[in-house]
Amino acid sequence: MGAIGNKKILDIGSSHGNCALTLAKAGAIVTSIVISPKLIEGCNRRSIFNNLPVNFQIMNACALSFPDNTFDLIVCVRTIHHLPDLDSFFSECKR
């Protein structure tokens, strides 16, 4: 990925927030999405506890609500095989 400081990164499928928090610790501006409201609660607690600003949101990865070209980089760790519509997912990532 190279230097990620100040890059806008979308983490798709944040689960417990490990990837998002690691990226934030490296200086990235991170938005992280997951479909589960329960997981978001834990992610927000970890973000506050570690004093790492991450914008955790509940969202469907196949129907992103962000404008085109919002992010410099998109990461998706251990998530893609759970997605029901890969064509929609890749279309959303591309825009």
Side-chain angles (χ1 to χ4, degrees):
M1 283 193 293
I4 61 170
N6 293 317
K7 288 206 175 173
K8 294 179 183 175
I9 299 178
L10 174 62
D11 172 36
I12 295 178
S14 57
S15 185
H16 298 287
N18 294 338
C19 182
L21 294 170
T22 299
L23 293 167
K25 189 174 184 177
I29 301 161
V30 183
T31 299
S32 186
I33 65 166
V34 69
I35 199 81
S36 168
K38 191 165 191 121
L39 286 174
I40 289 290
E41 292 173 19
C43 290
N44 282 323
R45 281 194 299 272
R46 290 184 70 207
S47 176
I48 292 166
F49 179 80
N50 289 288
N51 196 31
L52 293 169
V54 175
N55 178 13
F56 288 104
Q57 296 185 31
I58 301 165
M59 193 177 302
N60 181 338
C62 297
L64 300 174
S65 64
F66 305 107
D68 292 358
N69 299 310
T70 299
F71 300 99
D72 299 309
L73 183 67
I74 297 173
V75 296
C76 184
V77 178
R78 293 183 283 179
T79 302
I80 198 167
H81 60 282
H82 294 291
L83 300 176
D85 184 352
L86 292 180
D87 288 335
S88 292
F89 169 70
F90 287 121
S91 177
E92 285 293 283
C93 289
K94 183 178 177 181
R95 65 174 189 82

